[in-house]
Amino acid sequence: MDQLVVTLDCPDRPGIVHAITGAIVAVGGNITELQQFSSPDTGHFFTRVAVDAQDRVALERAVVDATAGFDAHLRVDDANRPVRTLLLASKAGHAMNDLLFRRQGGELPIDVVRIMANHEVLSPMAAFYGVDFESHAVTPETKPDFEARVRQVVEDEGIELVVLARYMQILSPELCDFLAWRAINIHHSFLPGFKGANPYRQAHTRGVKLIGATAHFVTSDLDEGPIIEQNVVRVDHTMNVAKLMRKGQAQESQTLAEAVRLFAEHRVLADGDRTVIFR
Amino acid sequence: MDQLVVTLDCPDRPGIVHAITGAIVAVGGNITELQQFSSPDTGHFFTRVAVDAQDRVALERAVVDATAGFDAHLRVDDANRPVRTLLLASKAGHAMNDLLFRRQGGELPIDVVRIMANHEVLSPMAAFYGVDFESHAVTPETKPDFEARVRQVVEDEGIELVVLARYMQILSPELCDFLAWRAINIHHSFLPGFKGANPYRQAHTRGVKLIGATAHFVTSDLDEGPIIEQNVVRVDHTMNVAKLMRKGQAQESQTLAEAVRLFAEHRVLADGDRTVIFR
Amino acid sequence: MDQLVVTLDCPDRPGIVHAITGAIVAVGGNITELQQFSSPDTGHFFTRVAVDAQDRVALERAVVDATAGFDAHLRVDDANRPVRTLLLASKAGHAMNDLLFRRQGGELPIDVVRIMANHEVLSPMAAFYGVDFESHAVTPETKPDFEARVRQVVEDEGIELVVLARYMQILSPELCDFLAWRAINIHHSFLPGFKGANPYRQAHTRGVKLIGATAHFVTSDLDEGPIIEQNVVRVDHTMNVAKLMRKGQAQESQTLAEAVRLFAEHRVLADGDRTVIFR
Amino acid sequence: MDQLVVTLDCPDRPGIVHAITGAIVAVGGNITELQQFSSPDTGHFFTRVAVDAQDRVALERAVVDATAGFDAHLRVDDANRPVRTLLLASKAGHAMNDLLFRRQGGELPIDVVRIMANHEVLSPMAAFYGVDFESHAVTPETKPDFEARVRQVVEDEGIELVVLARYMQILSPELCDFLAWRAINIHHSFLPGFKGANPYRQAHTRGVKLIGATAHFVTSDLDEGPIIEQNVVRVDHTMNVAKLMRKGQAQESQTLAEAVRLFAEHRVLADGDRTVIFR
């Protein structure tokens, strides 16, 4: 038996769960996990079903047929197939180190195909983890070339997920649109507080008692993308900006890794500008 | 349309979800929430389904019929019917105050039918919240009488849930058995650490850096009942036992209230000695 | 021996701690707790010293003399004297109930002298806790009268702390200035996110994964006052605005109570627009 | 000016803080941080003072002289001198990776002199971070040799701190005594719950709703050593032992790193069987 994952969303109508479960029974599948949500805001229905079954293709065909009248958007995937992932990085290595270490330990179902950075400094770490690494100086002049290269890698390598692991450049609106709902960024604050640059400095100035990190999908509207995961940690008046930064890095790494895991396990669905997360 | 809740558990077999959802479709019901879990430890299946439907009795009959071969234990209840609840208390009023205040604000779907205490001191609070209150001196000699009175109230009043809101007496094994899976206690530590008396003193002696509270079902095996909810809060070396106690009380109240809410919303199911919680 | 608390701030200069401790030794006092902080941002020094000593007046005189050259702002207070407090409230009673219950249990060193509200509804709760209550209809026309009454109560009753326990009206700039650094508000979001009205609605729209509460000093710049305490709690996509609200109320009550405790124990000092908190 | 740290403990007597601050003033030092604690349980006094001063030796002499009558145990150290550290490891690399990465980034003031392991598998990671690595098969027969080698390294290399970064062997009572108050272990549960082997399995069996990690000093009384730091994370009924393990690893790494930082910054003092932590 294979472990498969069905994700499906459609306008909410009675009978949809029964239709899906019928298709699963019909191919001899066994449901091991089922979550569903009907959004009162958008009138949309979402589900994620983990199924033990013989044949991915047969299950997919059965679900497609059973939900034919529901105008559904669906996917049936192998639960253990690692998601093809591209990392973008700059100089700070904590988030990237954490992702690569967890992937190596089998904790994250991703296949890190390549790392692209705008600095050389993380090259040895990439080498240690055995991941292809390329660095490019990204200036206003060369940015279009860099972004063209990102697009090319995404297309040539069949990239399903792009992770901005503290990549410190703003992507162009065109690239954001190209990567819609498949690029995850980690912002080093508890959004919507402290958007933009230097959030730790802003947090220090404001004197907050907790700082946080937010993993969200990349959109052209900076720091406004749909939120996947957030965490906070307690701070106090004695901490200067550098200390807030150090304190926050563990949150950043952990929050990003959790968001990547949720995405790679097909637990994140799009509900307008918000996410539905099936943990 | 009424808001109904189906809870069901049975030995895990393929087709059970499809059978239930079929029954719901058949009576024109609409699923608004569905959670399920198959326990690898006990081979048992659990589900909770929230349904908008016309007729509770019709839905119940349909689900009973549809799951006839599955050896299922099931219940179909009105989601908005408050659970008939008896509180046991002693002198400390924080947990009881919290429950009564939340109930009054409509936050907890319970109907507090009566408070029974082994002291007089909480009588004015009961009066303020308009709940019948009776106090009994509980000594080794009178304990059987008190417990007989508890049984009588449970039976005469149709009590579905007994909450020990910092009731500082140990129930007899017989009463524990009588109240199995329908009596919730709050223990003022993070179980299984610091069982028994004076957990805050034990925590101080051990020098822990977090203290907690545990809401669990009452069993005759003291402090070993199935856990429903737990919370912790950070403490430090400067705090003496009295300060730990004050610090912990907010956790106690909140943890107990959350456990009561989960129970009253039919979100707690029994899996051997453990709980399945559908949040 | 009395338990006294010295709080002092001054421009940072070597020798200040030695000067203060010298004064304490000179009057035969014993230090039981000492905290200090030098702010790199403002070059200011802050300390809080708990002292067991015979005579508050003698200690105050000694500290004043010893720190004569330091341009210090200082106070020597009895640690066990409850702070004279005025509550402002509207219709929601959770924060007020929590404060009154904790005060009654001896957890908060405050003396709630009076409650002023713009609705009648909390009158029975005030009566139950034995606190004077007055309600006033607050309209644009009557607001100046209400605020004049607040000032009068503050002055006549020697009020040291005003707590806005979910008081749903904006105070005038004049009253904010009058109450500077002695009025605490609870905002039902994790500031600086979701300022202004309906923060739970804003949080729902933005799809955040944690919601919070912020206790801060009242200033004429709405929701921008110095932060004293913050807390968060995890939420998810299934929660509508009403559920976020219920979920957030426990955080609000707890965060406000903690801020009031810190203030009443003289643990909150002013460092420009930020707070120094000596826990 | 150098940044120095004075730590001192002695039987509690009036005048001790004044004596220390006098010595600091006498050598022209400036206090930047001061914390103190008088333990009501042991009648002992503890302090940690961060001082900007010209000369470590002069400051030490001044403090020794000033506190001559107090029967004090004291140390004056350079705040920026990294603590000489030996890591013990087995096969799991998460805690070790985290420590080495944080040290490399300047977050932990330690100098990892050597890694000793009872398996080869972490050798490449040690090489990547440029730390000497030696592995030894540890059997009942060879354990005395291994422990003799540990002692030798500690003595020859001037090791100040031994960190058991998920080292899965029990140290002999003799080695525990030899390393008293200078060896830190990470236990993968929220002690005192789930002592001994397989804490995640125990946690699963008991059905707890939070799991945790505890960093403590090593003593011959297994899992009973003084606690330095603890953290927890929420879990639920769906998580099997393997998932609890993965979920817990981030807590383990973070809790151990925090304990090591506290130790290396001289923020951990011994109060009987408990720790005083000056954060």
Side-chain angles (χ1 to χ4, degrees):
Chain A
M1 295 286 253
D2 288 331
Q3 294 184 293
L4 305 174
V5 177
V6 181
T7 50
L8 179 149
D9 65 89
C10 64
D12 194 14
R13 290 216 335 253
I16 176 69
V17 177
H18 190 57
I20 298 165
T21 56
I24 293 166
V25 169
V27 299
N30 191 25
I31 299 174
T32 59
E33 207 180 324
L34 186 157
Q35 286 146 302
Q36 62 133 64
F37 174 63
S38 302
S39 171
D41 298 297
T42 59
H44 217 71
F45 168 86
F46 304 84
T47 194
R48 177 186 186 275
V49 194
V51 182
D52 289 346
Q54 293 287 8
D55 182 345
R56 198 199 65 77
V57 174
L59 177 63
E60 185 168 24
R61 198 176 316 123
V63 177
V64 167
D65 290 352
T67 61
F70 286 91
D71 195 17
H73 170 249
L74 76 88
R75 177 159 71 170
V76 180
D77 209 339
D78 188 323
N80 298 312
R81 187 183 64 77
V83 165
R84 294 183 66 76
T85 302
L86 166 67
L87 299 190
L88 301 190
S90 290
K91 283 195 269 190
H94 58 282
M96 177 174 131
N97 178 61
D98 197 67
L99 289 173
L100 294 173
F101 182 78
R102 286 177 197 246
R103 179 213 58 154
Q104 193 182 56
E107 195 183 333
L108 285 181
I110 59 171
D111 192 357
V112 182
V113 176
R114 183 173 292 266
I115 297 164
M116 296 178 68
N118 62 336
H119 285 94
E120 272 292 350
V121 66
L122 296 176
S123 174
M125 186 186 287
F128 173 61
Y129 284 105
V131 179
D132 288 343
F133 179 90
E134 52 184 82
S135 73
H136 304 257
V138 178
T139 64
E141 289 73 35
T142 63
K143 187 168 167 174
D145 294 346
F146 179 78
E147 296 204 341
R149 173 69 186 147
V150 170
R151 270 175 184 261
Q152 186 196 358
V153 170
V154 168
E155 285 175 346
D156 291 358
E157 300 281 2
I159 295 298
E160 300 167 280
L161 171 63
V162 176
V163 180
L164 282 65
R166 293 300 307 274
Y167 177 69
M168 301 305 281
Q169 299 271 335
I170 295 171
L171 303 187
S172 69
E174 292 73 30
L175 189 56
C176 290
D177 288 351
F178 176 70
L179 297 174
W181 292 99
R182 51 180 178 155
I184 298 177
N185 184 40
I186 181 72
H187 185 75
H188 40 313
S189 91
F190 186 72
L191 289 173
F194 311 130
K195 295 175 198 170
N198 283 324
Y200 288 121
R201 180 167 300 283
Q202 293 181 60
H204 178 73
T205 302
R206 185 63 183 90
V208 289
K209 302 307 179 189
L210 297 165
I211 57 169
T214 304
H216 63 89
F217 284 111
V218 173
T219 60
S220 57
D221 202 352
L222 191 67
D223 300 335
E224 292 287 349
I227 294 170
I228 304 167
E229 177 66 336
Q230 300 189 289
N231 281 299
V232 294
V233 64
R234 199 160 284 277
V235 296
D236 65 39
H237 62 271
T238 67
M239 300 178 182
N240 59 18
V241 176
K243 212 163 173 180
L244 293 184
M245 212 173 287
R246 278 204 304 276
K247 188 96 179 174
Q249 289 190 348
Q251 299 300 315
E252 294 169 28
S253 302
Q254 213 171 315
T255 305
L256 181 59
E258 179 67 2
V260 167
R261 185 187 68 77
L262 291 167
F263 181 95
E265 294 180 3
H266 307 306
R267 295 181 183 279
V268 184
L269 284 83
D271 182 25
D273 295 335
R274 306 165 76 236
T275 57
V276 170
I277 311 278
F278 291 130
R279 285 172 194 277
Chain B
M1 297 283 253
D2 286 333
Q3 294 183 293
L4 305 174
V5 178
V6 180
T7 51
L8 180 149
D9 66 88
C10 65
D12 194 14
R13 291 221 328 260
I16 177 68
V17 178
H18 190 58
I20 299 165
T21 57
I24 293 166
V25 169
V27 299
N30 190 26
I31 298 173
T32 59
E33 208 180 324
L34 186 157
Q35 286 146 301
Q36 62 134 63
F37 174 64
S38 301
S39 170
D41 298 298
T42 59
H44 217 71
F45 168 88
F46 304 85
T47 194
R48 177 187 187 275
V49 194
V51 182
D52 288 347
Q54 294 285 8
D55 183 344
R56 199 199 65 76
V57 175
L59 178 62
E60 184 168 24
R61 198 178 313 124
V63 177
V64 167
D65 290 352
T67 61
F70 286 90
D71 194 18
H73 170 249
L74 75 87
R75 178 158 71 169
V76 180
D77 209 340
D78 189 322
N80 298 312
R81 188 183 63 77
V83 165
R84 292 184 67 76
T85 302
L86 167 66
L87 299 191
L88 301 189
S90 290
K91 283 195 268 189
H94 57 282
M96 176 174 134
N97 178 61
D98 197 68
L99 289 173
L100 293 173
F101 182 78
R102 287 177 197 246
R103 180 213 58 154
Q104 193 183 57
E107 196 183 333
L108 285 181
I110 59 173
D111 191 357
V112 181
V113 175
R114 183 172 293 266
I115 297 164
M116 296 177 68
N118 62 336
H119 284 94
E120 272 292 350
V121 66
L122 296 176
S123 174
M125 187 186 287
F128 173 60
Y129 284 106
V131 180
D132 286 344
F133 179 91
E134 51 184 82
S135 72
H136 305 257
V138 179
T139 64
E141 289 70 38
T142 63
K143 187 167 166 174
D145 294 345
F146 179 78
E147 296 204 341
R149 172 71 186 143
V150 170
R151 269 174 184 265
Q152 186 196 358
V153 170
V154 167
E155 285 173 346
D156 292 358
E157 299 282 2
I159 296 297
E160 301 167 278
L161 171 65
V162 177
V163 180
L164 282 65
R166 294 299 309 272
Y167 177 69
M168 302 305 282
Q169 299 271 335
I170 296 172
L171 303 186
S172 70
E174 293 71 31
L175 188 56
C176 290
D177 288 349
F178 175 71
L179 296 175
W181 293 99
R182 51 182 178 152
I184 298 176
N185 184 39
I186 181 74
H187 185 75
H188 40 313
S189 91
F190 186 74
L191 288 173
F194 311 132
K195 296 175 196 168
N198 281 327
Y200 288 121
R201 180 167 300 283
Q202 294 181 60
H204 178 74
T205 302
R206 185 64 183 90
V208 289
K209 303 306 180 189
L210 298 164
I211 58 169
T214 303
H216 63 90
F217 284 110
V218 173
T219 61
S220 57
D221 202 353
L222 190 67
D223 300 335
E224 292 287 348
I227 294 171
I228 304 168
E229 178 67 336
Q230 300 189 290
N231 281 299
V232 294
V233 64
R234 199 159 282 278
V235 296
D236 64 41
H237 61 271
T238 66
M239 300 178 181
N240 58 19
V241 176
K243 213 164 174 180
L244 293 184
M245 210 173 288
R246 279 205 303 277
K247 187 97 179 175
Q249 290 190 348
Q251 299 300 315
E252 294 168 29
S253 302
Q254 214 171 316
T255 304
L256 181 59
E258 179 66 4
V260 167
R261 186 187 66 79
L262 291 168
F263 181 94
E265 294 181 2
H266 308 306
R267 296 181 182 279
V268 185
L269 285 82
D271 182 25
D273 294 336
R274 307 164 76 235
T275 57
V276 170
I277 311 278
F278 291 130
R279 284 172 195 279
Chain C
M1 296 284 254
D2 288 332
Q3 294 184 294
L4 305 174
V5 177
V6 181
T7 50
L8 179 149
D9 66 87
C10 64
D12 194 15
R13 291 220 328 258
I16 177 68
V17 178
H18 190 58
I20 298 164
T21 56
I24 293 166
V25 170
V27 299
N30 191 26
I31 298 173
T32 59
E33 206 180 325
L34 186 156
Q35 286 147 301
Q36 63 133 63
F37 173 63
S38 301
S39 171
D41 298 298
T42 58
H44 217 72
F45 168 88
F46 304 84
T47 195
R48 177 186 186 276
V49 194
V51 182
D52 288 346
Q54 294 287 6
D55 183 344
R56 199 199 66 76
V57 175
L59 177 63
E60 184 168 26
R61 197 177 314 122
V63 177
V64 167
D65 289 352
T67 60
F70 285 90
D71 195 16
H73 170 250
L74 76 88
R75 178 159 71 170
V76 180
D77 209 339
D78 189 322
N80 297 312
R81 188 183 63 77
V83 164
R84 292 183 67 77
T85 301
L86 167 67
L87 299 190
L88 301 190
S90 290
K91 282 195 268 189
H94 58 281
M96 178 174 131
N97 178 61
D98 197 68
L99 289 173
L100 293 173
F101 183 78
R102 288 177 196 246
R103 180 214 57 155
Q104 193 183 57
E107 196 183 332
L108 284 181
I110 59 173
D111 191 357
V112 181
V113 176
R114 182 172 294 265
I115 297 164
M116 296 177 68
N118 62 335
H119 286 93
E120 272 292 349
V121 67
L122 296 176
S123 174
M125 187 186 287
F128 173 61
Y129 285 106
V131 180
D132 287 344
F133 179 90
E134 52 184 84
S135 73
H136 304 258
V138 178
T139 64
E141 289 71 37
T142 63
K143 186 167 167 175
D145 294 345
F146 179 77
E147 295 204 343
R149 173 69 185 147
V150 170
R151 270 175 184 262
Q152 187 197 357
V153 170
V154 168
E155 284 174 346
D156 291 358
E157 299 281 2
I159 296 298
E160 300 167 278
L161 171 64
V162 177
V163 180
L164 282 65
R166 294 300 308 274
Y167 177 68
M168 302 305 282
Q169 298 272 335
I170 295 172
L171 303 187
S172 70
E174 293 71 32
L175 188 56
C176 291
D177 289 350
F178 175 70
L179 296 175
W181 292 99
R182 51 180 178 154
I184 298 177
N185 185 38
I186 181 72
H187 185 76
H188 39 314
S189 91
F190 187 73
L191 289 173
F194 310 131
K195 296 176 197 169
N198 283 325
Y200 289 120
R201 180 166 300 282
Q202 294 181 59
H204 178 73
T205 302
R206 184 64 183 90
V208 289
K209 303 306 180 188
L210 298 165
I211 58 168
T214 304
H216 63 90
F217 284 112
V218 174
T219 60
S220 56
D221 202 354
L222 191 68
D223 299 334
E224 291 288 349
I227 294 170
I228 303 167
E229 179 66 335
Q230 300 188 291
N231 281 299
V232 294
V233 64
R234 198 159 285 277
V235 297
D236 64 41
H237 61 271
T238 66
M239 300 178 180
N240 59 17
V241 176
K243 212 163 175 180
L244 293 184
M245 211 173 288
R246 280 205 302 276
K247 186 97 180 174
Q249 289 190 348
Q251 299 300 316
E252 294 169 28
S253 301
Q254 214 171 315
T255 304
L256 181 59
E258 178 68 1
V260 167
R261 187 188 66 80
L262 291 167
F263 181 93
E265 294 180 2
H266 306 307
R267 296 181 182 279
V268 184
L269 286 82
D271 183 26
D273 294 335
R274 307 166 75 236
T275 57
V276 170
I277 311 278
F278 290 130
R279 285 172 194 279
Chain D
M1 295 286 252
D2 288 332
Q3 293 184 293
L4 305 174
V5 177
V6 181
T7 50
L8 180 149
D9 66 88
C10 64
D12 194 15
R13 291 216 333 255
I16 177 67
V17 177
H18 190 59
I20 298 165
T21 56
I24 292 166
V25 169
V27 300
N30 191 26
I31 298 173
T32 59
E33 208 179 324
L34 186 157
Q35 286 146 303
Q36 63 133 64
F37 174 63
S38 302
S39 171
D41 298 297
T42 58
H44 217 71
F45 169 87
F46 304 84
T47 195
R48 178 187 186 274
V49 195
V51 182
D52 289 346
Q54 293 287 7
D55 183 344
R56 199 199 65 77
V57 175
L59 178 62
E60 184 168 25
R61 198 177 313 123
V63 177
V64 168
D65 289 353
T67 61
F70 285 90
D71 194 17
H73 170 250
L74 75 89
R75 178 158 72 168
V76 180
D77 209 338
D78 188 323
N80 297 312
R81 188 182 63 77
V83 164
R84 292 183 67 76
T85 302
L86 167 67
L87 299 190
L88 300 190
S90 290
K91 282 196 268 190
H94 58 281
M96 177 174 132
N97 178 61
D98 197 68
L99 290 173
L100 293 174
F101 182 78
R102 287 177 196 247
R103 179 214 59 156
Q104 193 183 58
E107 197 184 331
L108 285 181
I110 59 173
D111 192 357
V112 181
V113 175
R114 183 172 294 265
I115 297 164
M116 295 177 69
N118 62 336
H119 285 93
E120 271 292 350
V121 66
L122 296 176
S123 174
M125 187 186 286
F128 173 61
Y129 284 106
V131 179
D132 288 343
F133 179 90
E134 52 184 84
S135 73
H136 304 257
V138 178
T139 65
E141 289 72 35
T142 62
K143 187 167 167 174
D145 294 346
F146 178 78
E147 295 205 340
R149 173 70 186 144
V150 170
R151 269 174 184 264
Q152 186 196 357
V153 170
V154 168
E155 285 174 345
D156 291 358
E157 299 280 3
I159 296 298
E160 300 167 281
L161 171 64
V162 177
V163 180
L164 282 64
R166 293 300 309 274
Y167 177 69
M168 302 304 282
Q169 299 271 336
I170 295 171
L171 303 187
S172 69
E174 294 71 31
L175 188 56
C176 290
D177 288 350
F178 175 71
L179 297 175
W181 293 99
R182 51 182 177 152
I184 298 176
N185 185 38
I186 181 72
H187 184 75
H188 39 313
S189 92
F190 186 72
L191 288 174
F194 311 131
K195 295 176 197 169
N198 282 326
Y200 288 121
R201 180 166 302 281
Q202 294 182 58
H204 178 73
T205 302
R206 184 64 183 91
V208 288
K209 302 306 180 189
L210 298 165
I211 57 168
T214 303
H216 62 89
F217 284 111
V218 174
T219 60
S220 56
D221 203 354
L222 191 67
D223 299 335
E224 291 288 349
I227 294 170
I228 304 168
E229 178 67 336
Q230 299 188 292
N231 281 298
V232 295
V233 64
R234 199 160 283 277
V235 296
D236 64 42
H237 62 271
T238 66
M239 299 179 182
N240 59 18
V241 177
K243 212 162 175 181
L244 293 183
M245 211 173 287
R246 279 204 303 278
K247 187 97 179 174
Q249 290 191 348
Q251 300 300 316
E252 294 168 29
S253 301
Q254 214 171 315
T255 304
L256 181 59
E258 179 66 3
V260 167
R261 186 189 67 78
L262 291 167
F263 182 94
E265 294 180 2
H266 307 307
R267 296 181 182 279
V268 184
L269 285 84
D271 182 25
D273 294 335
R274 306 165 76 237
T275 57
V276 170
I277 312 278
F278 290 131
R279 286 172 193 279

